[in-house]
Each structure stands twice: as structure tokens, then as C-alpha cells.
Amino acid sequence: MKHFSVVALLCLLFASCTKDKLPVPGQNPTSLPATVETLISGFPEGFESGSKAAYAIGNVSLPSGTWSFDEALIGNLATDAKNGGKSVRIRNSGSITMLFDVNNAVQVSIAHAKFGSDVASTWQLWYSTDGGANWAQTGSNVVTVTTTLQTVVFNTNLSGPARFQIRKLAGSGRVNIDDFSIESDTTTTNPPDTTVITPGDNSNLLMGNPSNAATDIAMPANYLMDKTYYSLSYNRDRGTPNWVSWHMNASDLGSTPRQDDYRADNSLPSGWYRVPSSGYSGSGFDRGHNCPSADRTSSVAANSATFLMSNMIPQAPNNNQQTWNNLEDYTRGLVTAGNEVYVISGVYGTGGTGSNGGVTNTINGGNVTVPSNIWKVIVVIPNGNNDLGRVTTSTRVIAVNTPNTNSINSNWKVYRTSVDAIEAATGYDLLSSLPVSVQNSIEAVVDNL
């Protein structure tokens, strides 16, 4: 979660900061105009003047405008996380929706926290540019895991009228929302990209956050990172991801050549060890991609993103170059045949056998743990929209769990297993965004096609 500094907060309150718009990929940065971002009148909305004591659906008049609250109320209990005396509290699959439009919203920031001792919650920010007739998700799913308010920022870059909605995903946890802020771009001359994405579809975490990872330095063993082309849970102490999750369809497969620009991930928190590109040298293990280079050939930026060392694991060469490569080729074949896939890849355990022989527990001076097992779960659905709604009890799910050894069989099908078995080995809750009845069915099956 992003935190504002004191200076940034003062800029937000007094709307006096001037910022340069980030370059759009493929454009010359020097051709973009400077922009001035200012708070839209009525924001930030702190929900202090509103009153709604019940979860039943109803409208609330606030300084920013009228909002619809569904399975949501304005809470003022000691267990409500809040700045001031009140904040929104949402339960189940509830939502809060603006019933009014704002113009040229380029950035939305929202403070959020768990209610009391509730379990973590997942929620999304959606927008509508046609008065609420149609909605699309902006940004990635947000997982709320702490009882202290954290601020998340969405770069919406919208031109013209729009309204916003917060949707909580089904679950037993309740989430508090406060300080809903919208900034507008008052001087843009180049219209922002307002491509509407099918609601929720294609998000790297659409199938769920297996370990409830969060972008919180207090969670170094389960640190959530959004790399645009994939999302991951990073483990500082192991020097590798716990898991990496991504979506792939035909638009991700192009003609961009392999970049081979392995490099340390400098976006890791200050003070954390950053595995260098040479960190696996001489170890007998490959720098094994989780999200494969060949899954991201639509652009140089997409392919280059896969070469961050935070996407790598120490993988036995034959596992990487044969077994895993064959599975990756097969998966891309499913995509070119008219499907889209959601993939989650991860590791567990300690101790693998590389080309040097013998079991190795760590490499790179002890900074990188060698896993004993490497697993992957692939959800396969025909191309289309409303992806979550189209996953049924008959959807094909491929689960594979391989030992991290150089004597491995090159036929990945030998290592097929069930999602339930991988969950038992890792403690993760895979495909958690799906209805429980669907999970119970497809997670028990071992693929045999």
C-alpha cells in the first residue's frame, strides 16, 4: 500500500502540487504537456457528516454528493478504523457507489483497513463513464490485511465525466473505507487512454490472492508486488517469490524477441537484499522464470518485466529447460487454440538437486533458498468475457507439482496432481475468488487430458 509523506499530504490538502504526467509507452516523453492535478470539489470525502446505521441498501447525502450504500454503513465504533469520528464499513459482497459524476479524474486515493479483528478482505475500484449503465474495474484487486488505515492510489487517467464504486468481494471479513479522494487533470491536451476493460477480466489476481499477500513491509515473507504483467508474493528471507500469478490470452503473444536483461528488482523495500543478476552463477541451478518470457512477447516492456530477479527461482536445469519448458509450450498452445488462461506458479520446501549434484539448500551466500518443489495451476477457459462467471465445475484445471531435481522426467503430465494437494502442501487458498461449490469440485480433480 502506498503511504503519503507529510509533504504529499499537504499537497493533497491544498491542491498546490504540479506534476509531470508519466510517459505513455511508445510516446516521446518530451512531447507530453505538463499537467496540474487538483482535488475535485467535495473531496476528499471523509464520510464524517453522513449517517447510516444499517447495512440495508440506501442512499446517503454527503458533501461530495449522494452515494448508494449496499451491505454498507457509516460506522463510529472503536473497532472502526477511521480518520476522525466515522468511516464506511462494508460487509459480504457489499458496495458503495457514487450517484453523481466528476470530470477528468486522473487519480483516486482511498484509505482502507480491517474492521476490528476480522479476517482480511479483498475489494476493487470500478468506474462508469455512462452514468452507471456500464462498469469496468480499474487497477488490481486490493487485499486489506491490517487494522491501521493504509492508502492505495489508482491512476485512473479518465477524460470527461465518470463515477466510482467500491466493490467488496464475498468473504466473512469487513473492511473500513475512509478519505476517498479524487484528483482531476485541469490542463491535459492529449486525451488519456480510456480503453474500457471487461469488468474484472484479465486481472492477474482475478482468481484470488492465495496467501493474502499485502504490500506491507511488516509482511516480509508475504510481500505483494504488482509488476503490471504479473503479480507476486515475495519472500524476503528466501530471496524468491512464494508464488506468481498472471493472465494470458492471444494479445500477450507477439513477435518481441527475448530481452535477456536479468536484473535486480530495485522496487523492493529499502534495506531488503536484492538478488543480483549473477546471484545464481556457478550454483548448478538455472534462473528459472515463474512468469515465462515467452508468455509476454507483446512488447519490449512486457518481456523485459519477466527478467526481474524477483520473478526467478533456482531451478534444476533439466526441470527448467525440459519439463517446465514443455508445460509452458503446451499452455501457450492452449491460448493459440482459442483459450485464455489464468496461471499461478510457486514453490515450497527447501533443498533441490542441480547440475552440480547433491542436495543444495541455499545459494548466493545463503541469500537465496533452493525449493524442493515447483508447482503450477492453470485455469483454462474459452476466449470471452465475465471470466469468473464462466468458471464452472466442468472447467479444465491443470495442476502440476514437480520435484526440483535434475533427474526429472521431461513429461510434465507425469507430475499432474490436484489443486487440493498443492493447497495441502503450501497452506495456500488457491482460486479463492471462485464460489466455494466450484472450488470444491474443480480443485479435487486431477487433469487427465
Side-chain angles (χ1 to χ4, degrees):
M1 314 305 173
K2 296 184 179 178
H3 301 270
F4 288 125
S5 67
V6 173
V7 173
L9 281 172
L10 290 173
C11 291
L12 186 64
L13 290 171
F14 296 104
S16 60
C17 290
T18 299
K19 299 182 250 182
D20 290 333
K21 180 174 284 188
L22 292 174
V24 177
Q27 288 186 336
N28 181 349
T30 60
S31 68
L32 293 173
T35 62
V36 178
E37 296 175 7
T38 58
L39 281 170
I40 289 177
S41 177
F43 291 91
E45 179 54 71
F47 307 101
E48 294 294 317
S49 67
S51 178
K52 186 174 186 292
Y55 285 108
I57 189 169
N59 294 343
V60 181
S61 295
L62 295 163
S64 56
T66 301
W67 296 63
S68 174
F69 281 50
D70 187 11
E71 289 286 320
L73 53 76
I74 294 180
N76 59 3
L77 302 179
T79 43
D80 283 298
K82 52 192 177 294
N83 284 328
K86 300 177 181 180
S87 65
V88 174
R89 189 195 316 155
I90 310 175
R91 70 176 185 181
N92 300 332
S93 54
S95 63
I96 60 171
T97 307
M98 291 166 48
L99 300 181
F100 58 97
D101 291 333
V102 295
N103 287 315
N104 303 326
V106 298
Q107 190 175 89
V108 176
S109 60
I110 301 168
H112 62 106
K114 292 196 305 180
F115 171 75
S117 59
D118 281 17
V119 299
S121 293
T122 302
W123 55 275
Q124 304 165 331
L125 181 66
W126 292 58
Y127 69 94
S128 172
T129 57
D130 57 4
N134 295 283
W135 294 86
Q137 185 180 354
T138 180
S140 302
N141 292 0
V142 179
V143 182
T144 301
V145 297
T146 69
T147 55
T148 302
L149 286 171
Q150 310 287 325
T151 299
V152 60
V153 179
F154 299 84
N155 292 314
T156 51
N157 292 330
L158 295 172
S159 177
R163 60 186 59 184
F164 294 94
Q165 177 187 72
I166 290 177
R167 296 185 186 181
K168 181 184 173 299
L169 301 187
S172 57
R174 289 163 289 184
V175 62
N176 284 125
I177 299 293
D178 207 352
D179 296 339
F180 192 110
S181 184
I182 307 177
E183 292 185 61
S184 67
D185 180 348
T186 59
T187 62
T188 297
T189 57
N190 292 341
D193 180 7
T194 57
T195 303
V196 176
I197 301 173
T198 304
D201 287 359
N202 306 342
S203 166
N204 293 320
L205 290 176
L206 183 65
M207 293 295 151
N209 181 329
S211 58
N212 285 325
T215 309
D216 185 342
I217 59 173
M219 297 174 62
N222 191 23
Y223 185 77
L224 183 65
M225 304 183 76
D226 180 3
K227 293 302 178 184
T228 303
Y229 304 100
Y230 55 91
S231 296
L232 64 98
S233 163
Y234 191 76
N235 192 316
R236 179 197 63 186
D237 298 330
R238 291 179 68 100
T240 67
N242 299 307
W243 52 260
V244 179
S245 183
W246 68 98
H247 170 266
M248 177 171 56
N249 61 18
S251 67
D252 295 306
L253 306 179
S255 58
T256 299
R258 182 182 170 96
Q259 298 302 298
D260 278 324
D261 54 342
Y262 293 93
R263 61 201 184 279
D265 189 341
N266 292 325
S267 71
L268 287 168
S270 176
W272 287 21
Y273 180 77
R274 297 167 181 176
V275 181
S277 61
S278 60
Y280 292 16
S281 296
S283 68
F285 292 91
D286 284 359
R287 293 173 293 192
H289 285 68
N290 279 271
C291 180
S293 161
D295 282 11
R296 293 292 186 252
T297 53
S298 61
S299 68
V300 170
N303 190 260
S304 177
T306 69
F307 287 92
L308 288 166
M309 292 301 291
S310 56
N311 184 43
M312 303 297 160
I313 53 173
Q315 192 168 8
N318 288 340
N319 185 314
N320 180 39
Q321 299 168 32
Q322 297 178 22
T323 314
W324 223 240
N325 182 67
N326 292 338
L327 175 57
E328 292 168 356
D329 283 344
Y330 181 82
T331 306
R332 286 187 290 272
L334 293 172
V335 171
T336 58
N339 299 292
E340 53 187 303
V341 295
Y342 287 87
V343 188
I344 310 167
S345 177
V347 299
Y348 68 86
T350 301
T353 304
S355 59
N356 293 343
V359 176
T360 301
N361 291 330
T362 64
I363 61 173
N364 189 221
N367 289 304
V368 177
T369 299
V370 178
S372 62
N373 287 74
I374 305 169
W375 56 268
K376 181 174 285 188
V377 172
I378 305 162
V379 179
V380 186
I381 53 177
N383 291 332
N385 300 321
N386 185 29
D387 292 352
L388 276 180
R390 295 188 298 119
V391 178
T392 69
T393 55
S394 60
T395 294
R396 185 182 184 192
V397 175
I398 305 169
V400 177
N401 188 355
T402 68
N404 190 21
T405 64
N406 222 30
S407 58
I408 192 170
N409 193 313
S410 62
N411 181 5
W412 61 267
K413 292 184 177 181
V414 173
Y415 301 101
R416 284 182 290 188
T417 184
S418 68
V419 175
D420 282 341
I422 294 175
E423 288 182 330
T426 62
Y428 298 150
D429 184 9
L430 301 169
L431 312 183
S432 59
S433 292
L434 298 173
V436 173
S437 60
V438 175
Q439 290 185 58
N440 289 341
S441 178
I442 63 177
E443 292 184 358
V445 175
V446 178
D447 178 71
N448 61 5
L449 295 181

